[in-house]
Amino acid sequence: MKKRMATLLLLFICIPALFAGTFDLGFTLGTNTHFYEHSYDNDAVKFAYGATIGMTDILELDLQANSQLVPRFFADTNVLVMVQRTLQGQRNTGKKIAGIGVNTLVGAGVMFSDYHEGGQFVPTHLLFSVTPITIGSPYAGKRERILSFTLAYNMYNNQISLVMDLLKNDFYVIGTYRDWRP
């Protein structure tokens, strides 16, 4: 119960404070898998959901929660907070001109979880992420992120694991072509 409350607090209290001055705002849905840390996380696949907030034309803030669906609905949840940068051009121009439609993202961040001996929901992992392929842009209103690989360093037990997102879809509600109609 404490994990769910912490997840909701992080996602729904922090996000509105970040809206001012953003290029765009989208909601994320997808999958998530955490490998090589079976003693703490033995779920095969989790449901990923969250928000992506465009801070500049090349930087974005991603807030993502990953929750177990089977066998116990939302029994195990962790939260990733990452800053990501595009490598091949502008993700969104903030004007009537679209950004690059195919891009690559690199990023760093922190995972909040209870994957340590104490069991409290705290920052546990340092993250480094590479998303080799993104198709779409905030201007188009939709973007797919394909094969995101994230190295996760558990600060409590000095273990390195892999977090992989096979496919994530971003659905943008602010900063799309609809905002620039004459």
Side-chain angles (χ1 to χ4, degrees), residues 107-122:
V110 176
M111 180 195 298
F112 293 80
S113 70
D114 58 357
Y115 302 156
H116 60 95
E117 294 300 322
Q120 299 91 1
F121 194 81
V122 295

Side-chain angles (χ1 to χ4, degrees), residues 2 9-10 12 15 52 81 99 103 110-111 133 147 166 180:
K2 290 180 185 179
L9 280 174
L10 184 63
F12 296 112
I15 290 174
T52 177
V81 178
N103 221 324
V110 176
M111 180 195 298
I133 302 170
L147 294 175
L166 182 62
W180 302 106

Side-chain angles (χ1 to χ4, degrees), residues 103-168:
N103 221 324
T104 300
L105 298 171
V106 295
V110 176
M111 180 195 298
F112 293 80
S113 70
D114 58 357
Y115 302 156
H116 60 95
E117 294 300 322
Q120 299 91 1
F121 194 81
V122 295
T124 54
H125 294 74
L126 298 176
L127 307 172
F128 176 75
S129 176
V130 175
T131 305
I133 302 170
T134 66
I135 300 172
S137 71
Y139 186 84
K142 187 172 186 271
R143 176 179 70 176
E144 288 91 18
R145 293 187 261 175
I146 302 167
L147 294 175
S148 295
F149 295 98
T150 304
L151 287 177
Y153 171 70
N154 190 324
M155 298 178 287
Y156 287 88
N157 63 10
N158 296 321
Q159 184 176 356
I160 295 178
S161 59
L162 176 68
V163 177
M164 189 178 108
D165 299 318
L166 182 62
L167 179 66
K168 287 193 288 192

